[in-house]
Amino acid sequence: MSESTGRSNRPTSRDVARRAGVSQATVSLVLGDRWRGRVSPARVEAVRAAARELAYRPNLAARSLRLGRSRTVLIVVPALTNEFFARVHAGAARVAGEEDVGLVLYHSPEVVLPARDPFASASASLAGVLASSMAAEALGALSGEGLPLVMLDSEPGRGAAAGTVNPDIAEAMRLVAGHLLALGHRRFCHLAADVDSWTFAVRARELADRLAGVPGAGLVATERAPLTIEGGLRAAERALTAGGPRPTALVCDDDLLAAGAYKAARRLGLRVPEDVSVTGFDDLTLGTALEPELTTVRLPAEELGATGMRALLTALRGEPCASAVLPVELVPRGSTGPPAAGP
């Protein structure tokens, strides 16, 4: 495939110039906001109209390198009101600062929504993108702009990403299941995040596989819930009042869901962990504010952001960007114990 064929679907500055009836140099001046005193307002408007009609975006990475400007990267995360993603951002920002790289933040208002067009909120010249908890397809168009893309907590080898950096989610769920099985639990309920993403699919699969290998163990139910305390409360209430053998362990995809499970148990007159054990994921500060403190898996949020930023900087240097899997740690606390005798 020739270079021209490979780029045939992406409009170029030459296309804009032809549509506007001006030179490529004029297009460069207008779109680089260097036209004042050099290009007439009428031609400026013609260029801008042509760019809009063609859905043209300049290759910002190439322009930054050509002009020798400081690199600026875009980080895409869910709302920073979520402690985990605030830590991810902190780790990425630390490495960016050490390397004299500018950082532009774009956040989606909901974890479950795909990213909107980040160019609408990023006016700086971008060199690359670091995206967390988004489908790679949602940002795949950026690869057409020549922008290296590194994904966090996303399926390796899928989409346009130059690399992925993930916590070892499969091992995290194996640690949770192994801990509860060693305590004697055999009846489990999975409070699963109601989010269609790779990371939560891995958790569900690993939990089911781990329980399938132990005689008498299994899932009594899987209750899906939004990633909120209220969502965990409602899901746990359904699980604990469904009739039949009650689960002795609630495995939650997130510490917020686990906090909701605590509330449900208390409302139903059940004790944690004497009547039902509860586990979480992430190791948020919330976990130590609960009573008893929450058994959870510590995911390396800051290191996730930092490693992702290092991977992106590697890609910006034109070097191969290897994917990475970061270790996780089970943090046993007071919310898990042996199952109570009886139903």
Side-chain angles (χ1 to χ4, degrees):
M1 178 182 291
S2 68
E3 181 180 353
S4 60
T5 301
R7 298 188 304 166
S8 60
N9 293 328
R10 180 163 63 90
T12 66
S13 61
R14 183 180 290 107
D15 298 323
V16 175
R18 188 180 299 114
R19 175 71 66 91
V22 300
S23 68
Q24 280 186 267
T26 298
V27 170
S28 178
L29 288 172
V30 172
L31 298 184
D33 200 27
R34 293 176 287 116
W35 61 270
R36 291 171 181 81
R38 305 166 77 175
V39 181
S40 71
R43 288 192 172 184
V44 169
E45 181 53 37
V47 169
R48 289 173 175 170
R52 287 194 299 269
E53 292 166 6
L54 294 172
Y56 170 76
R57 296 191 186 105
N59 187 325
L60 297 174
R63 186 173 71 184
S64 293
L65 293 173
R66 183 169 65 250
L67 297 178
R69 292 177 179 170
S70 297
R71 294 166 296 175
T72 299
V73 301
L74 180 73
I75 180 169
V76 183
V77 295
L80 293 185
T81 50
N82 182 300
E83 180 187 338
F84 180 82
F85 294 108
R87 291 178 181 176
V88 168
H89 177 268
R94 172 170 52 81
V95 173
E98 292 169 354
E99 299 294 331
D100 193 27
V101 172
L103 196 62
V104 175
L105 172 65
Y106 176 87
H107 67 87
S108 175
E110 298 290 343
V111 175
V112 297
L113 294 181
R116 295 166 294 175
D117 183 357
F119 286 95
S121 61
S123 59
S125 295
L126 301 176
V129 180
L130 181 65
S132 174
S133 289
M134 302 287 175
E137 292 84 353
L139 293 166
L142 293 177
S143 64
E145 307 299 331
L147 296 178
L149 169 65
V150 170
M151 297 295 297
L152 306 179
D153 204 17
S154 299
E155 184 174 2
R158 186 176 181 185
T164 57
V165 179
N166 295 319
D168 195 342
I169 293 297
E171 175 63 10
M173 186 55 86
R174 287 192 290 266
L175 289 172
V176 169
H179 171 70
L180 292 168
L181 288 167
L183 289 171
H185 292 277
R186 296 297 182 266
R187 299 198 304 271
F188 292 72
C189 174
H190 184 196
L191 266 58
D194 193 13
V195 178
D196 183 15
S197 73
W198 170 82
T199 184
F200 295 117
V202 170
R203 299 174 203 209
R205 184 184 68 239
E206 290 298 329
L207 178 59
D209 288 350
R210 184 69 176 85
L211 299 184
V214 177
L219 284 168
V220 173
T222 296
E223 294 288 348
R224 300 184 69 82
L227 285 170
T228 63
I229 293 175
E230 181 68 17
L233 167 64
R234 299 305 175 200
E237 284 179 336
R238 294 193 298 271
L240 296 172
T241 60
R246 192 175 66 209
T248 63
L250 302 178
V251 178
C252 304
D253 271 350
D254 177 90
D255 289 351
L256 295 176
L257 295 179
Y262 271 55
K263 293 185 70 173
R266 185 167 59 249
R267 290 185 182 185
L268 295 170
L270 301 175
R271 299 165 298 166
V272 176
E274 291 83 358
D275 299 310
V276 61
S277 287
V278 179
T279 63
F281 252 81
D282 290 347
D283 193 27
L284 305 180
T285 304
L286 171 66
T288 56
L290 297 171
E291 185 58 45
E293 294 186 359
L294 178 65
T295 294
T296 188
V297 178
R298 180 172 295 148
L299 302 184
E302 286 195 32
E303 187 56 29
L304 186 66
T307 303
M309 182 59 68
R310 293 189 192 102
L312 181 57
L313 294 177
T314 297
L316 291 180
R317 291 193 295 268
E319 301 171 7
C321 178
S323 294
V325 178
L326 305 181
V328 298
E329 178 187 358
L330 178 72
V331 184
R333 297 192 182 107
S335 68
T336 51

